[in-house]
Amino acid sequence: MRSYVSPAKLVLPDISTEDFDPTPLGHSLEQLQQCLHARSASGEWFTGIDATLWSWRAAGVGRWVAPLAWRPLRPLFLLAYKLFSLARPHLAWLPHPDGSRRCRDVCPSDERGRH
């Protein structure tokens, strides 16, 4: 998503870095790792598919994820997100969208995906 939005509109912190401190956010690292979290400029929190929908809308490309807001399909998307959240830690073997392998352990930002 970084390629679609300026940091002035959407900040995307990497919670896997050693210097990330979740304390000021009022959430534990474990909570943040369980599902996607987003916080608006007004301080409102969104989680799961709502965080996905909100983030893509903030990036100005919400039309790509508009179906996440469709009420008839929402239960299906909620279930799919829950299943994805459970499986995500085991999907590190998948190629990364930038064309390189996902990082293992710690990835320096300038070396992300390079092994």
Side-chain angles (χ1 to χ4, degrees), residues 29-40:
L29 184 58
E30 292 76 25
Q31 289 172 316
L32 295 174
Q33 290 172 330
Q34 286 178 357
C35 69
L36 181 64
H37 286 69
R39 185 175 64 179
S40 70

Side-chain angles (χ1 to χ4, degrees), residues 18-85:
E18 283 186 31
D19 61 341
F20 178 78
D21 179 15
T23 307
L25 302 175
H27 293 282
S28 69
L29 184 58
E30 292 76 25
Q31 289 172 316
L32 295 174
Q33 290 172 330
Q34 286 178 357
C35 69
L36 181 64
H37 286 69
R39 185 175 64 179
S40 70
S42 66
E44 184 178 2
W45 281 97
F46 302 92
T47 59
I49 63 171
D50 293 325
T52 302
L53 182 60
W54 181 88
S55 299
W56 283 94
R57 284 179 175 168
V61 288
R63 66 188 174 280
W64 293 357
V65 292
L68 295 178
W70 297 349
R71 286 200 183 273
L73 296 178
R74 199 136 162 95
L76 178 64
F77 289 131
L78 289 169
L79 176 62
Y81 186 86
K82 180 67 174 173
L83 293 173
F84 172 75
S85 294

